[in-house]
Amino acid sequence: MAHYYFDNAATTPVSPSVVTAMTEILQNEFGNASSTHYFGRQAHHLLDQSRQILAESIHAAATDEIIFTSGGTESDNTAILSTVRAYSDRGHHIITTAIEHPAVLQTMAYLEKHGYEVTYLPVDAQGLISLADLKAALRPDTILVSVMMANNEVGSIEPIAEIGRLLADHQAIFHTDAVQAYGVLDIDVQRLGVDFLSISGHKLHGPKGVGFLYARNGVKFVPFMRGGEQEHKRRAGTENLPGIVGLAQAAQDLAGREKANKRQQLLALKQEVIQVLTAQGVDFAINGPDVDLAAPHVLNIWLKGVPTELALMNLDLRGFAVSGGSACTAGSLEPSHVLIALFGEQAPQIRESLRLSFGSENDLASAHELGLAISAVAHDYLQKNAQTI
């Protein structure tokens, strides 16, 4: 039986070019970038080269604004915890949204237990915050605003540049989790006006266990990891050189026109699934923004009357890997906090939705087959359920 992977928002397969780049490092460049001898200098050169590539990919003003981390979770934690430690003398109020990744929400919950007040902005049915709500929530003692760029479950794209302009004359530090945006959206940190931005390599066909945090020069920074003096004394620990080179290669693969081409490819895949479901008479609705307004790789659908767990199991048996929400809460019986924020705790969407997420390895033929498989699962369940009533 053939198997098809449509869970790219959880993780992506590593691209051949990234494997080649990492293999070269693993075989030939074993030096520690902190060493001063030839082998260390070679490693340090590759580290600097990768940092340059990644800085340019987000239009950072300087290469030293890139801090290598173990991934999105560490980058999110570092940005948030660094800010509250550095600016606690200015206040203890933080603003975020109700649909953030657990790496942000769990950190906020931790801070609430330690004397910080957190405002969670609501979202509308499209998964978008209101700038008016944000403006109303801002206070003189607000020290941090953390709003994700693209949501990992429904694909909503928040108005980051507008938020940046709103905060331009406020003391609050501005952080955005761009983990789901980096491989598919154009990012210019100067235009966006962010102070911190989080990235993870495995969402764009790079390796797991590596990412980076953009930290704008001039923003106070308190290290999250302590030990050696790596990363300009901001993140201790010997750098993961093979992973960093792999991340830089993945970023290069998606630079310029290639990223625009990928967006068109991903949009076409989503449209193909929707067309098949419509043609097959499936009763469904799109959760969150319209297809062309969402992150191009994420499609969340309400499969009306079909329990999520049953749909997931039957699609897996047919060879199709999709999800019911964030992979970081997989195995939990808790409903999606994102869908609750959009529709309320009692809405049927909470128990009857699927997240389909697409990547470079998917094609129109497999997307067509996915649409047919979802249609078959839905029709089979509803027909059997009707017969038992």
Side-chain angles (χ1 to χ4, degrees), residues 110-122:
Y110 166 82
L111 290 173
E112 285 183 296
K113 295 178 181 178
H114 289 80
Y116 289 85
E117 183 182 351
V118 182
T119 297
Y120 297 90
L121 297 175

Side-chain angles (χ1 to χ4, degrees), residues 157-188:
I157 301 173
E158 301 299 337
I160 301 301
E162 290 85 347
I163 297 172
R165 288 193 288 270
L166 179 62
L167 297 176
D169 297 322
H170 195 280
Q171 71 164 3
I173 298 301
F174 184 21
H175 165 250
T176 186
D177 177 338
V179 166
Q180 290 292 339
Y182 182 58
V184 292
L185 302 181
D186 294 325
I187 297 176
D188 183 336

Side-chain angles (χ1 to χ4, degrees), residues 35-202:
S35 300
T36 57
H37 49 59
Y38 168 81
F39 297 97
R41 294 196 306 273
Q42 288 294 101
H44 199 277
H45 169 71
L46 290 165
L47 197 66
D48 287 345
Q49 189 177 65
S50 298
R51 202 185 306 274
Q52 178 73 37
I53 291 168
L54 296 168
E56 291 176 354
S57 74
I58 59 171
H59 302 276
T63 58
D64 63 359
E65 293 182 321
I66 303 300
I67 304 170
F68 291 116
T69 69
S70 63
T73 293
E74 183 189 333
S75 293
D76 285 342
N77 275 252
T78 300
I80 296 167
L81 296 177
S82 171
T83 298
V84 300
R85 289 166 179 165
Y87 294 95
S88 62
D89 60 328
R90 298 185 181 181
H92 285 71
H93 180 237
I94 302 169
I95 299 173
T96 189
T97 82
I99 63 169
E100 296 296 310
H101 188 275
V104 170
L105 293 179
Q106 292 298 320
T107 307
M108 296 299 176
Y110 166 82
L111 290 173
E112 285 183 296
K113 295 178 181 178
H114 289 80
Y116 289 85
E117 183 182 351
V118 182
T119 297
Y120 297 90
L121 297 175
V123 295
D124 61 18
Q126 306 301 306
L128 298 173
I129 67 162
S130 161
L131 289 173
D133 286 347
L134 173 57
K135 189 173 182 178
L138 278 172
R139 305 184 334 204
D141 63 335
T142 304
I143 57 172
L144 173 65
V145 174
S146 182
V147 178
M148 70 190 333
M149 188 173 296
N151 184 262
N152 53 306
E153 291 196 32
V154 298
S156 50
I157 301 173
E158 301 299 337
I160 301 301
E162 290 85 347
I163 297 172
R165 288 193 288 270
L166 179 62
L167 297 176
D169 297 322
H170 195 280
Q171 71 164 3
I173 298 301
F174 184 21
H175 165 250
T176 186
D177 177 338
V179 166
Q180 290 292 339
Y182 182 58
V184 292
L185 302 181
D186 294 325
I187 297 176
D188 183 336
V189 292
Q190 308 302 324
R191 183 183 64 83
L192 295 174
V194 296
D195 298 303
F196 288 110
L197 180 140
S198 304
I199 297 298
S200 187
H202 73 105

